[in-house]
């Protein structure tokens, strides 16, 4: 069983729409969850973190966490073509005395004008 | 500019060659990592160094040999690689290996092609 699962996409949305990206994870003990964005040919960069059940908003981005369902999502409101990228879900797994980040394979988002 | 610099950005090598990837971070961090990114696969953690000491070797074949001479520099020495080792190799750093904030700072990566 994969530790962090994401739909590979591509997820295609029109400009101005809401993009919804989903992620499930297998380790019930995970406490910290992150979304990274990776533009084509570039390195991943952290855009959101969430630690508690519920929603966390930052500008046009909202992260949602449901630990009971082992589910994390990222909503992007008013999507722009510049949001076109691969979004990586990452979960912190406590192993060997420290936290280790486990990444999903990523969902490719394409926002078309 | 993330403060993590990787060289070379592109590398083509034969299976019998020996080459090295270099990573340097200017962030004052104590932990450094090597990740492998293959198409449509999750980022794979290869090695973790904390204060120059290797704290994780994620069952990586011995044809990959890491070296961390100080907290700012990390190398990945490559020899007798296989074509399936072709991938993007990402270096990252964090304040320490606990990274409770989850923030890793990645370099731009070294794209490796093994012929």
């Amino acid at each position: 069983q994969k530790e962090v699962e994401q739909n590979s996409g591509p997820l295609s949305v029109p400009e101005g729409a809401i993009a919804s990206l989903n992620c499930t994870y297998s380790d019930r003990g995970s406490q910290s969850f992150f979304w990274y964005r990776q533009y084509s040919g570039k390195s991943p960069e952290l855009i959101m973190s969430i630690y508690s059940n519920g929603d966390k908003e930052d500008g046009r981005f909202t992260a949602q966490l449901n630990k009971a369902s082992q589910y994390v999502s990222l909503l992007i409101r008013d999507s722009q073509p510049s949001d076109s990228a691969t979004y990586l879900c990452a979960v912190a797994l406590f192993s060997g005395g420290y936290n280790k980040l486990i990444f999903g394979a990523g969902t490719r988002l394409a926002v078309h004008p | 500019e993330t403060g993590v610099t990787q060289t070379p950005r592109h590398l083509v090598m034969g299976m019998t060659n020996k080459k090295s990837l270099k990573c340097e971070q200017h962030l004052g961090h104590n932990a450094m990592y090597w990740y492998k990114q293959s198409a449509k696969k999750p980022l794979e953690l290869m090695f973790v160094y904390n204060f120059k000491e290797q704290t994780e070797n994620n069952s990586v074949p011995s044809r990959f040999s890491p070296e961390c001479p100080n907290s700012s520099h990390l190398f990945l020495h490559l020899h007798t690689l296989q074509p399936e080792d072709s991938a993007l190799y990402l270096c990252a750093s964090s304040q320490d290996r606990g990274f409770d904030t989850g923030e890793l700072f990645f370099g731009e990566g070294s794209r490796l092609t093994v012929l």
Side-chain angles (χ1 to χ4, degrees):
Chain A
Q1 182 186 8
K2 292 181 184 176
E3 292 179 286
V4 180
E5 290 209 52
Q6 296 181 255
N7 188 318
S8 62
L11 173 65
S12 183
V13 300
E15 185 174 355
I18 296 175
S20 177
L21 304 162
N22 305 315
C23 171
T24 58
Y25 60 94
S26 59
D27 189 328
R28 283 197 169 273
S30 299
Q31 297 295 320
S32 308
F33 307 86
F34 311 93
W35 285 98
Y36 280 75
R37 177 177 63 200
Q38 186 174 21
Y39 291 113
S40 181
K42 298 292 185 182
S43 57
E45 58 176 335
L46 180 68
I47 57 171
M48 286 289 285
S49 58
I50 187 165
Y51 306 95
S52 306
N53 280 329
D55 295 0
K56 179 182 177 183
E57 188 174 316
D58 184 0
R60 295 187 295 111
F61 297 98
T62 299
Q64 299 176 317
L65 174 61
N66 183 326
K67 290 184 181 179
S69 301
Q70 295 174 249
Y71 178 90
V72 192
S73 65
L74 180 70
L75 301 178
I76 305 175
R77 289 183 300 282
D78 187 23
S79 295
Q80 301 297 309
S82 59
D83 294 325
S84 298
T86 297
Y87 290 81
L88 306 176
C89 175
V91 176
L93 179 68
F94 192 77
S95 173
Y98 65 100
N99 277 323
K100 183 166 63 173
L101 272 188
I102 306 298
F103 286 85
T107 298
R108 189 158 64 89
L109 172 66
V111 181
H112 53 86
Chain B
E1 177 58 51
T2 63
V4 181
T5 304
Q6 287 187 245
T7 55
R9 294 292 309 280
H10 300 273
L11 178 63
V12 179
M13 59 188 289
M15 289 191 285
T16 58
N17 291 159
K18 287 185 181 181
K19 297 285 184 183
S20 296
L21 306 180
K22 179 183 175 183
C23 176
E24 183 175 1
Q25 58 98 357
H26 307 276
L27 301 169
H29 289 167
N30 298 314
M32 296 187 77
Y33 312 78
W34 280 116
Y35 279 88
K36 176 183 178 182
Q37 188 173 36
S38 303
K40 303 201 176 186
K41 287 188 175 181
L43 279 168
E44 297 174 49
L45 178 63
M46 300 175 72
F47 301 104
V48 180
Y49 278 82
N50 193 49
F51 291 97
K52 304 188 301 179
E53 300 297 321
Q54 186 180 124
T55 60
E56 176 129 359
N57 176 338
N58 205 21
S59 302
V60 180
S62 59
R63 56 186 184 269
F64 295 92
S65 174
E67 178 189 0
C68 187
N70 53 61
S71 294
S72 299
H73 293 86
L74 185 64
F75 295 89
L76 188 62
H77 302 301
L78 316 169
H79 64 97
T80 59
L81 295 190
Q82 304 298 311
E84 59 265 29
D85 296 322
S86 299
L88 181 68
Y89 289 85
L90 289 163
C91 174
S93 71
S94 65
Q95 183 59 50
D96 55 48
R97 66 178 188 173
F99 56 85
D100 289 334
T101 64
E103 185 151 26
L104 294 178
F105 292 80
F106 286 91
E108 295 288 353
S110 294
R111 173 72 62 186
L112 173 65
T113 303
V114 182
L115 301 177

